[in-house]
Amino acid sequence: MTDPADRDYSRSRAVLMGTWGYTDFEPAPAVERSFNRMRDLLLDPVCGPWPEESIVPFDNRPTLGTTQVELIDALIEATDVAFFYYVGHGIYDHRERLCLTVGDTRLDAHYTAATGLPFEAVRDAFRFSRAAVKIAVLDCCYAGLATEEYGRLSANRLPPVSGAYVLMSSSAFETSWYEKEVVADAQTYFTKAFVDTVRAGIRGAPAGLTFDHIFGVVADRLVENGRPEPGRRIEDHAARWVFARNNAPDAPPEPGADPDAVYREAYRRETKEGVERLPVITAMYRAAAEAGHTPSMNRLGQIAEGRVQARMQGIEPGPVGGAALLEATQWYTKASEAGDPVGPLHLGQLYEEQYKDQDRALYWYALAVRRGNGAARERLTGLEQRIRLGVDASRQPGGENEEEPEPARPAPPPDVTVADLTTEVLRQRWLADWDGREPLAFAQCLDVLTDACGGPHGEWAALDETERERVLTDFTARLPRKADLASAARRYYEDVGPGNLRAHAVGLRRRAK
């Protein structure tokens, strides 16, 4: 994340296009005011400012002329940021493609694409550009058509880009609105909300505002006021690009602030606010991480894995892979390289559970242990035991170790025998050690038995939930006394035989049938 005030915009280009005088449409003075407000915003220190020579205005062009050529020329010159903004009437042609109008654009579908600027032409100009960040902001009717079919702004044949972002004032077949002239200083609703949001800042957001920060507030304001809901499309990492400084009174300190304070505030919000605030929270963690704060690096790894989102939503995290897994690995590696004791623990978990590389997992667990991480010691001991015993804790559904589902058992006969009564009496006497509380007795037995079988990451981890229930039931059937529960659990594991726990669980199932 870079402070806009420190950014050199000489390698960037912002093409601003707006049309408010027409042959086939009513004049739209609100469009002119919105065009000027967007230009003034870029020239304002809140956005850098952009130098005037980096801003290319296409203002109220009476005819298309060489607009497409000039657009290509402008965006080709951009190697840092390529920015395109359009405000005016948007229409669609006979193939339902978005066309941006100029003064003499004709409504007749036969001539729409020939007299207006197809957004495909804008997209092509972006593709020719080698800019690292590509932004398109469309304030017009049917703006959502910009992301239909071939909606990418970047080209696969060019070197990797850091991202592209398309911000649209309306959906594919929805009109955009502007204020009537009876309103003083009338403007288009979308641009007005966008500029006002940037100038006022966003309370609770980080020091640098990304398009994601701005979009969330703008969308809320427009929807609350009954206006069309805007849309967006994001590619790669464009959502992280900082567009403006945050002018809000309670904005966090500028870059250079105490990373610990930024981390504490981000963590407080993570535990108190909803998942919709996660982009803001992520930006705060990122700011602290870029200042070398290792706990923030670990939080970013957890966010990349989807664990933070899942906790905020009260659900189990889903599978992680691809770019998300790579990003998590990179953040944990950075934390580890900086001497953090938690980063290597997370790396060990990724290599054990995701990459299935036990050697690398052992390396990272051992590093975390040398740095004093107790949780890593438990993981390391458990993994070493499973490797020694040849036990695999990661069974895939349908694999050779997968058991048939248990058939439903018939209800037991209602007759009660003397043996049944004797068993129940002995069981009640056993529960007396736990004041008759069966859940407490089973919970303590489970805890002690887990430790005896190698701990939660040792051979016990190789069992599924059903197998664990069978083993626990078998152990408690021995009615182990509370006073020597640990030694009873060790004897049980020795009787089963290290490395045989899963086979023992399968045997218990067969005996129960």
Side-chain angles (χ1 to χ4, degrees):
M1 187 182 302
T2 305
D3 185 352
D6 298 330
R7 194 178 289 140
D8 178 12
Y9 281 108
S10 63
R11 301 188 307 275
S12 300
R13 291 294 180 271
V15 176
L16 307 184
M17 182 174 179
T19 306
W20 48 89
Y22 292 97
T23 302
D24 282 11
F25 298 91
E26 292 293 323
V31 170
E32 181 179 9
R33 297 187 188 96
S34 293
F35 176 89
N36 290 331
R37 286 204 74 196
M38 182 62 77
R39 182 176 182 277
D40 292 344
L41 180 66
L42 295 185
L43 294 172
D44 191 283
V46 73
C47 287
W50 287 63
E52 290 203 37
E53 56 269 23
S54 292
I55 298 177
V56 183
F58 293 174
D59 48 333
N60 205 33
R61 298 205 160 187
T63 192
L64 197 58
T66 60
T67 299
Q68 187 171 346
V69 174
E70 294 174 61
L71 177 63
I72 295 171
D73 288 342
L75 297 189
I76 279 181
E77 291 179 354
T79 57
D80 186 5
V81 180
F83 182 90
F84 176 81
Y85 165 76
Y86 176 79
V87 59
H89 285 296
I91 57 177
Y92 53 90
D93 65 6
H94 62 292
R95 291 168 57 189
E96 295 186 349
R97 298 175 302 176
L98 176 65
C99 291
L100 310 178
T101 61
V102 292
D104 66 352
T105 298
R106 296 172 64 171
L107 281 171
D108 189 326
H110 295 91
Y111 301 98
T112 298
T115 57
L117 180 66
F119 188 76
E120 285 186 5
V122 179
R123 189 179 297 119
D124 284 342
F126 271 114
R127 285 173 173 157
F128 300 147
S129 173
R130 292 182 178 269
V133 179
K134 302 176 180 183
I135 309 290
V137 180
L138 303 177
D139 186 0
C140 62
C141 298
Y142 318 120
L145 288 172
T147 58
E148 297 294 305
E149 296 183 2
Y150 309 106
R152 298 177 60 86
L153 298 183
S154 57
N156 293 333
R157 63 182 178 81
L158 297 178
V161 296
S162 64
Y165 202 110
V166 183
L167 193 57
M168 301 157 287
S169 64
S170 61
S171 62
F173 295 100
E174 190 173 31
T175 58
S176 287
W177 295 10
Y178 60 88
E179 297 174 319
K180 302 300 183 183
E181 286 304 304
V182 293
V183 177
D185 199 28
Q187 301 161 54
T188 60
Y189 284 108
F190 177 79
T191 296
K192 181 178 181 179
F194 182 92
V195 175
D196 286 349
T197 297
V198 174
R199 288 198 177 280
I202 302 173
R203 288 184 177 274
L209 297 181
T210 66
F211 272 91
D212 262 1
H213 298 136
I214 299 165
F215 173 83
V217 176
V218 170
D220 287 346
R221 288 181 178 178
L222 292 173
V223 171
E224 286 173 4
N225 293 321
R227 312 306 177 199
E229 182 176 2
R232 61 182 166 178
R233 175 167 180 159
I234 311 165
E235 297 177 23
D236 301 316
H237 304 296
R240 301 174 185 165
W241 183 72
V242 175
F243 176 70
R245 290 203 304 274
N246 191 354
N247 280 339
D250 67 343
E254 294 291 334
D258 178 18
D260 277 327
V262 175
Y263 170 83
R264 287 194 300 271
E265 176 61 16
Y267 189 75
R268 183 191 68 79
R269 294 182 182 185
E270 179 188 321
T271 57
K272 299 293 184 183
E273 298 179 359
V275 72
E276 69 277 358
R277 302 296 292 166
L278 190 56
V280 174
I281 295 166
T282 302
M284 296 181 71
Y285 281 134
R286 189 175 299 279
E290 289 173 353
H293 192 259
T294 56
S296 295
M297 297 176 191
N298 287 319
R299 298 310 294 167
L300 289 169
Q302 294 271 289
I303 290 171
E305 283 194 76
R307 297 183 182 275
V308 172
Q309 298 95 310
R311 279 194 293 270
M312 294 175 81
Q313 294 173 303
I315 60 175
E316 289 295 319
V320 60
L325 179 58
L326 177 60
E327 182 180 357
T329 305
Q330 290 171 339
W331 280 119
Y332 295 146
T333 302
K334 286 183 179 180
S336 300
E337 291 173 346
D340 183 74
V342 179
L345 168 63
H346 290 316
L347 279 174
Q349 290 175 282
L350 287 186
Y351 277 99
E352 179 184 352
E353 298 168 3
Q354 304 296 332
Y355 295 115
K356 310 302 181 185
D357 186 338
Q358 292 183 329
D359 290 338
R360 296 298 295 168
L362 288 172
Y363 169 81
W364 289 113
Y365 286 148
L367 177 60
V369 169
R370 291 198 297 273
R371 293 177 180 175
N373 191 309
R377 181 175 298 280
E378 192 174 84
R379 284 264 180 180
L380 178 63
T381 302
L383 179 56
E384 286 176 337
Q385 185 209 38
R386 284 189 277 113
I387 291 174
R388 185 172 63 253
L389 298 175
V391 175
D392 181 15
S394 57
R395 295 183 297 167
Q396 297 298 321
E400 60 180 0
N401 293 315
E402 193 73 11
E403 294 185 26
E404 296 279 341
E406 277 197 49
R409 297 182 185 178
D415 298 332
V416 178
T417 66
V418 173
D420 294 332
L421 292 173
T422 303
T423 301
E424 182 59 24
V425 168
L426 293 174
R427 182 172 171 277
Q428 291 301 323
R429 288 179 181 174
W430 173 67
L431 286 175
D433 275 349
W434 286 273
D435 298 326
R437 291 182 289 176
E438 184 178 79
L440 178 60
F442 274 81
Q444 290 190 3
C445 287
L446 174 62
D447 188 47
V448 172
L449 184 61
T450 300
D451 286 341
C453 297
H457 308 294
E459 188 176 358
W460 187 259
L463 305 182
D464 62 26
E465 287 300 319
T466 302
E467 291 167 341
R468 291 175 185 178
E469 289 177 9
R470 291 192 203 115
V471 173
L472 177 61
T473 301
D474 185 53
F475 173 65
T476 56
R478 297 188 177 194
L479 305 180
R481 293 175 60 248
K482 185 177 182 181
D484 62 348
L485 194 58
S487 58
R490 286 194 297 272
R491 288 195 301 272
Y492 180 85
Y493 185 50
E494 290 169 2
D495 291 344
V496 170
N500 297 324
L501 199 58
R502 183 182 292 166
H504 177 64
V506 173
L508 290 173
R509 176 199 168 199
R510 289 171 182 157
R511 288 201 297 271
K513 287 182 177 179

